[in-house]
Amino acid sequence: MELIGVPGAQLATLALGARSAPPLVMLHGLVSGNMASWYSSLASPLSASRRVILYDQRGHGASSLPRDGFDLDRQADDLGRVLAHHGQADAGVDIVGHSMGALIALRYALRRPRAVRRLVLVDAPMPAREHVAPSFAGLRTADDLGAWLDQQFAGLGGRRRERQQQRLQALFFASTLRADVQAMDAEPDAALAALKLPVLLVYGRASPCRAAGERLAAVLPQAALEWLDCGHYIPEEAPQALLAALTRFLTDDMHAHDLRETA
Amino acid sequence: MSRYDDTLELVIAKIRSTINEDWIALYDIDAETRFNDDLEIESIEFVKIAEAIQAHYGAQLDIVGWLSGRSIQELIGLSVGELAAYVAEATAGAA
């Protein structure tokens, strides 16, 4: 694991698997996510045949806690810098993102479609202003945050709860994170319709973000939508089913062929 | 000391340097100590510890292969001795 500098933050990153294997980067979700969301259950098995790049987004895991830069453009810039650090900036990388990580991945692909080979959006909560922001909109005090933590992370106690509370205190009360999420609209239909990449949409049947999956499936020209029997936190709730879906999608060479024809 | 004891000592040193807080320097860590119940480490800290051990042994060890397919909760449920035993066994041929 190493730390790399990006504007305003230090990001922790890690690469698994052979250097020469096809590159895959995995982006975790907001607040509860970090590299550990993927590490042993998904990134390790995928690294048998791929170069898997993981990183902690700004304000998460082992990365620093900056005061700003949580909007999708800045976070897509961060992704670009992480890929450049690993020598994969123009390599035609596969990207898997969960939740906020999926929105960052999608923004990156819309900006740099030729740098992306295939995209997997796992329960992407688009638009985040509707699917994500309301969950923490009303938090004003440390007590509010404590109650929210107990509701969102049932069973979290002791040192882990304390550390998470400190992290969230900084993210929610001393950074632009909430304002940045509140400003996240849906990507425009015209931009999505022009994205000529194979996209796999994986959603939980019990997820509150189902409508986002249906909309993306209707607008993206090369998207397949797969439903799993779980809620929003798919990497934790259904890792085996997600691994199977990723393995099927990412080893089907027809997708890469489609990409070359339409690029 | 046996090979296992050396490995256990190394694993404990990596835990202390990774957590890097005052209390862990004083905490009595042994083979029975559990990452979850005793140390209350976060999932990202387990990843850092595993990667620090991997970096120490380099190509002798495939810790990612050993962890592969397990949930992070399962891994945090391990004892320090269970992790050290795996590392000692995996690196036995290379000493």
Side-chain angles (χ1 to χ4, degrees):
Chain A
M1 191 181 299
E2 50 191 338
L3 281 175
I4 63 170
V6 299
Q10 296 273 313
L11 304 182
T13 182
L14 178 63
L16 308 175
R19 223 170 266 277
S20 58
L24 164 67
V25 60
M26 307 185 83
L27 288 86
H28 63 75
L30 193 69
V31 174
S32 64
N34 57 57
M35 290 191 267
S37 309
W38 304 113
Y39 181 69
S40 56
S41 55
L42 290 142
S44 297
L46 289 166
S47 74
S49 57
R50 302 176 177 277
R51 179 72 163 171
V52 181
I53 295 164
L54 302 178
Y55 74 103
D56 288 335
Q57 286 146 36
R58 49 179 62 220
H60 292 74
S63 293
S64 67
L65 269 163
R67 297 183 60 86
D68 60 7
F70 297 93
D71 57 285
L72 293 175
D73 276 326
R74 292 279 297 278
Q75 296 226 61
D77 289 345
D78 289 349
L79 169 59
R81 287 192 166 84
V82 169
L83 290 173
H85 171 80
H86 290 284
Q88 307 288 2
D90 303 300
V93 69
D94 289 323
I95 310 183
V96 176
H98 171 242
S99 196
M100 184 60 68
L103 298 181
I104 298 167
L106 179 58
R107 177 62 59 88
Y108 182 83
L110 289 169
R111 282 172 24 174
R112 302 202 56 205
R114 281 162 197 274
V116 181
R117 187 172 176 216
R118 293 165 295 203
L119 194 57
V120 182
L121 306 179
V122 183
D123 235 71
M126 191 186 83
R129 68 181 312 159
E130 283 172 26
H131 288 292
V132 183
S135 142
F136 44 62
L139 305 179
R140 308 242 181 283
T141 65
D143 285 348
D144 293 348
L145 180 58
W148 187 83
L149 259 177
D150 291 334
Q151 179 213 329
Q152 297 280 321
F153 301 88
L156 190 71
R159 176 174 177 268
R160 278 186 286 261
R161 185 182 185 284
E162 209 170 290
R163 286 171 64 85
Q164 187 66 335
Q165 175 134 15
Q166 277 169 11
R167 194 177 279 131
L168 293 187
Q169 195 118 358
L171 278 175
F172 286 171
F173 299 141
S175 89
T176 60
L177 176 99
R178 288 198 289 178
D180 289 339
V181 174
Q182 182 60 49
M184 284 178 195
D185 274 320
E187 300 289 0
D189 279 357
L192 293 170
L195 187 66
K196 305 283 198 298
L197 287 179
V199 181
L200 176 64
L201 306 164
V202 183
Y203 279 75
R205 283 200 175 86
S207 167
C209 305
R210 293 174 52 111
E214 282 158 1
R215 174 172 179 192
L216 286 166
V219 181
L220 288 166
Q222 292 184 45
L225 175 56
E226 190 163 338
W227 296 101
L228 301 183
D229 287 318
C230 57
H232 174 68
Y233 294 94
I234 297 177
E236 286 83 20
E237 292 176 42
Q240 299 299 335
L242 179 57
L243 179 60
L246 293 177
T247 305
R248 271 195 306 277
F249 180 71
L250 295 173
T251 48
D252 182 353
D253 283 335
M254 285 304 291
H255 294 307
H257 186 65
D258 290 345
L259 174 60
R260 277 194 297 276
E261 283 186 344
T262 54
Chain B
M1 286 209 311
S2 72
R3 167 168 195 85
Y4 168 77
D5 289 333
D6 291 344
T7 309
L8 179 62
E9 196 169 292
L10 179 107
V11 167
I12 291 171
K14 294 298 180 196
I15 292 168
R16 291 197 205 282
S17 60
T18 301
I19 306 278
N20 195 25
E21 291 175 346
D22 291 343
W23 65 273
I24 195 86
L26 305 169
Y27 196 99
D28 188 16
I29 306 175
D30 62 22
E32 305 300 312
T33 305
R34 297 208 160 258
F35 289 104
N36 190 19
D37 299 339
D38 300 321
L39 300 180
E40 298 188 280
I41 66 161
E42 294 188 299
S43 54
I44 187 65
E45 291 173 320
F46 187 90
V47 175
K48 284 177 162 182
I49 292 164
E51 287 298 311
I53 295 168
Q54 177 64 54
H56 176 87
Y57 288 101
Q60 287 179 47
L61 186 67
D62 176 21
I63 205 162
V64 164
W66 181 64
L67 306 174
S68 187
R70 305 201 205 189
S71 75
I72 199 77
Q73 280 71 29
E74 181 188 344
L75 297 173
I76 289 177
L78 293 173
S79 69
V80 172
E82 285 166 330
L83 179 59
Y86 156 71
V87 174
E89 192 188 316
T91 58

